[in-house]
Amino acid sequence: MSIIDKAYEQALEYRPARNSNVKWLLLGGGVLLLLLVLGTFVTRATRIEAGHVGVEINLAGHQRGASDIPIRTGWVIYSPLWTQIIQFPTYVQTVKWTRDPNEGHPVNEEMGFNSKEGMAIFADVSLSYAIDPQKVPEFYIKYRVSDLELFTHGILRDIVRNSLNEVASTYAVEDIYGEKKAEFLKQVGAMIEQKVAPVGVGVQQFGFIGAPRVPAVIASAITAKAQAIQEAERARNELATTQAEAAKKIAQADGEAKSLVTIA
């Protein structure tokens, strides 16, 4: 047998073994790919950023619903088939509802409410709040929102508007517009806090941006009344000053008269 024939026979013997190895490699690669695809569906990882807290939502089993224990900052491994992770920021959120399209959303978001006389008042409002990290699960269970924007411009806005109307119904328009404005805002802020505090929402600041808006004729009347009060107060002060000066002169003249009598 020639050298060429031997080489040909050896090649025929080697080819089945090589084909078998290729088949095993392809099979192993297919199994590995299948495991990777299944892994993306069964197991995932997410990161809870600084200043955020996560809530684990159980989607199956007898413990379905939000977990009572919030998830702190760091990596979290979970299965999207059975659980969902929702993140909420715990740093201070500030919202402005105004009629200016350059503030907040590009639409008129001013707040409207009525005084005890039924007078319509409009105002630009600013509010700051933060969520207690320990009560984030309670917050989710109460409001069922996964996006804080939906809470801020939906649920919280309604709470603020209702609180403004409840408190304003006990105040005259000139009190809200004038010297009792700070007292009015304090009561409204306290009512908002009372409604949201049980689920961990703490109101940091609440107030008007600028002066509340009333019909022009009412604003003019309130301004005129305030000016009249100031004028009356100024007149009283001037009268008191004049009377004091007159009393001083009378006392001085009386003293001089008594001095002359004593000398005589």
Side-chain angles (χ1 to χ4, degrees):
M1 182 180 291
S2 66
I3 296 175
I4 295 175
D5 292 335
K6 288 182 179 181
Y8 179 73
E9 289 180 359
Q10 289 176 355
L12 291 176
E13 293 175 356
Y14 175 72
R15 185 163 55 185
R18 184 178 63 180
N19 290 341
S20 177
N21 290 337
V22 171
K23 288 179 181 179
W24 282 110
L25 287 174
L26 290 175
L27 181 60
V31 171
L32 181 60
L33 180 61
L34 180 62
L35 291 175
L36 289 174
V37 171
L38 289 175
T40 59
F41 286 101
V42 175
T43 304
R44 288 185 185 175
T46 188
R47 182 178 177 180
I48 307 298
E49 301 292 340
H52 290 71
V53 166
V55 179
E56 182 179 8
I57 312 299
N58 296 311
L59 304 176
H62 65 281
Q63 293 183 336
R64 279 185 301 231
S67 172
D68 294 335
I69 303 174
I71 304 172
R72 296 296 183 174
T73 304
W75 287 100
V76 180
I77 306 297
Y78 69 102
S79 171
L81 297 177
W82 294 283
T83 57
Q84 178 185 6
I85 304 298
I86 300 176
Q87 294 192 46
F88 290 95
T90 55
Y91 49 84
V92 175
Q93 307 289 312
T94 298
V95 59
K96 296 178 181 179
W97 293 301
T98 76
R99 66 176 179 178
D100 186 349
N102 296 316
E103 290 270 14
H105 296 145
V107 294
N108 185 352
E109 296 183 303
E110 66 183 352
M111 289 283 183
F113 50 96
N114 297 315
S115 67
K116 70 178 182 180
E117 305 97 336
M119 185 66 62
I121 304 171
F122 297 93
D124 298 333
V125 174
S126 172
L127 182 143
S128 298
Y129 73 93
I131 302 176
D132 182 353
Q134 294 294 335
K135 292 190 174 182
V136 166
E138 296 176 51
F139 173 84
Y140 176 78
I141 292 171
K142 171 72 173 180
Y143 297 117
R144 295 292 179 179
V145 291
S146 56
D147 185 351
L148 211 55
E149 281 286 303
L150 297 177
F151 167 75
T152 300
H153 296 286
I155 298 168
L156 184 59
R157 178 181 169 85
D158 287 343
I159 291 173
V160 172
R161 183 175 58 240
N162 293 338
S163 298
L164 279 167
N165 273 297
E166 285 184 52
V167 178
S169 66
T170 65
Y171 278 80
V173 61
E174 63 179 301
D175 291 333
I176 298 172
Y177 190 83
E179 60 182 14
K180 291 187 178 180
K181 181 174 70 174
E183 175 189 306
F184 168 75
L185 289 172
K186 185 177 180 180
Q187 287 192 26
V188 175
M191 181 172 288
I192 297 169
E193 176 82 19
Q194 182 182 12
K195 292 178 179 179
V196 297
V199 290
V201 179
V203 177
Q204 310 288 323
Q205 170 273 330
F206 173 77
F208 290 147
I209 302 174
R213 293 180 288 277
V214 297
V217 62
I218 301 298
S220 298
I222 293 173
T223 301
K225 181 178 178 180
Q227 289 175 345
I229 292 173
Q230 290 175 354
E231 287 295 325
E233 185 65 27
R234 183 178 63 81
R236 280 195 297 270
N237 291 336
E238 289 179 352
L239 177 60
T241 301
T242 301
Q243 290 175 339
E245 289 293 333
K248 180 180 178 181
K249 290 179 180 179
I250 292 172
Q252 183 177 0
D254 185 58
E256 290 176 355
K258 290 181 179 179
S259 176
L260 291 173
V261 171
T262 302
I263 293 173

